[in-house]
Amino acid sequence: MPTPRTVLLTGAAGGLGTLMRGLLPDHGYALRLLDLRPVDGVPEAIVADLADKDAVREAVRGVDAIIHLAGISLEASFDKILRANIEGTYNLYEAARQEGVGRVVFASSNHAVGCTPRPRGDDPLIPVDTPRRPDTFYGLSKCFGEDLAQLYWDKHGLETVSVRIGSCFPEPTSVRMLSVWMSPADGARLFHAALTAENVGHTVVHGSSANTRLWWDLGSARALGYDPQDDSEPYAEKLIAEQGELDPDNPAHACLGGHFVTDPPRWPY
Ligand code: NAI
Ligand code: 15L
């Protein structure tokens, strides 16, 4: 696939979208932005709901690739998740197929496999082919997105890299995040690798930095050319002093998905 240059970034007004808008142009991309909400300071950004099939089709027309971040990013009622994450992602893939877009980078989540026990001691890292164990309807919608990506590759030759993102924020803010944190700069490196690697078909990767306390295997991400440069360890001493080590008897600390397993944060809208 030729190196993509014009990339549609959905969810551009959100936290990760805002970080990526700042970083991806340095990797050579011209971004077309879409979100349900206006994007601060970017009047030309497309304001559209993924439910609007015509608007979505127009938005994908002429782009080389799509980074799909838009959707509900926390737990919500099944009805809301169905509309935004399941039907919305379907609408985007269908538009991409119709318009001949060759590659999608899909923001999946650790919560697609959030009920997987976290490694302890010398346990092996969680492999990327670990069975799906969603911890929420939100995580379930990410399982759907990954399967949709597989369907569109097998049936239509539309390639996807599904990135099971850990926690991509400027800094880790919890002891759990020390294991799943992806620095924004590593996030941009991983998205760049996902956009440019050859012959990805549908590839699932874990999305994090090269953390000392890593819980999962980064092999399939590295195979795309991803070379993470960051590690959460410099934040460890302060976070552990404030919050304590993970408690082996606390169910909210037992699994990859952390507190999403026991008490997931809710989408506020
Ligand atoms: P966010 O909630 O800050 O941003 C999501 C954006 O999607 C919002 O700006 C919202 O307006 C937009 N959106 C929601 N429904 C929409 C619809 N129907 N049509 C168009 N736009 C819609 O979330 P964040 O943190 O930026 O995450 C971005 C993506 O990455 C999400 O898909 C999330 O599930 C995924 N992800 C993020 C992680 C992180 O650490 N930030 C971790 C794992 C996955
Ligand atoms: C996610 O999937 C959420 O979208 C994000 O807000 C974080 O909570 C992240 O997972 C996490 O697990 O820390």
Side-chain angles (χ1 to χ4, degrees), residues 7-197:
V7 174
L8 175 69
L9 181 71
T10 75
L16 190 51
T18 300
L19 292 167
M20 292 305 122
R21 278 192 279 131
L23 291 164
L24 285 169
D26 288 345
H27 289 274
Y29 299 103
L31 299 178
R32 184 184 295 178
L33 309 179
L34 179 147
D35 202 287
L36 196 53
R37 301 180 283 147
V39 178
D40 275 349
V42 191
E44 66 275 23
I46 300 161
V47 179
D49 191 323
L50 292 172
D52 182 344
K53 292 182 182 178
D54 292 339
V56 172
R57 183 152 179 192
E58 197 176 320
V60 307
R61 190 167 297 142
V63 298
D64 301 321
I66 299 167
I67 299 178
H68 179 38
L69 307 181
I72 292 175
S73 58
L74 301 170
E75 181 61 320
S77 70
F78 184 75
D79 285 349
K80 285 184 184 172
I81 294 276
L82 177 64
R83 188 167 182 277
N85 291 16
I86 296 181
E87 292 178 358
T89 300
Y90 163 75
N91 290 342
L92 185 78
Y93 270 81
E94 195 46 21
R97 182 190 68 76
Q98 289 170 332
E99 293 297 331
V101 180
R103 173 85 52 101
V104 176
V105 178
F106 170 57
S108 184
S109 171
N110 70 87
H111 300 292
V113 290
C115 285
T116 307
R118 68 176 170 88
R120 298 170 191 225
D122 292 334
D123 289 351
L125 296 176
I126 297 169
V128 80
D129 61 356
T130 195
R132 300 272 183 62
R133 296 184 73 170
D135 55 26
T136 43
F137 292 133
Y138 163 65
L140 183 65
S141 74
K142 297 301 186 180
C143 296
F144 171 84
E146 292 183 9
D147 282 347
L148 187 74
Q150 186 66 47
L151 178 71
Y152 272 69
W153 164 242
D154 286 332
K155 297 288 283 282
H156 305 299
L158 169 50
E159 292 191 307
T160 296
V161 176
S162 292
V163 183
R164 285 184 189 156
I165 303 169
S167 303
C168 189
F169 297 96
E171 293 185 2
T173 57
S174 70
V175 175
R176 168 181 167 269
M177 277 196 202
L178 295 171
S179 297
V180 295
W181 182 59
M182 180 161 70
S183 72
D186 278 344
R189 288 183 189 103
L190 180 51
F191 287 147
H192 177 53
L195 287 168
T196 52

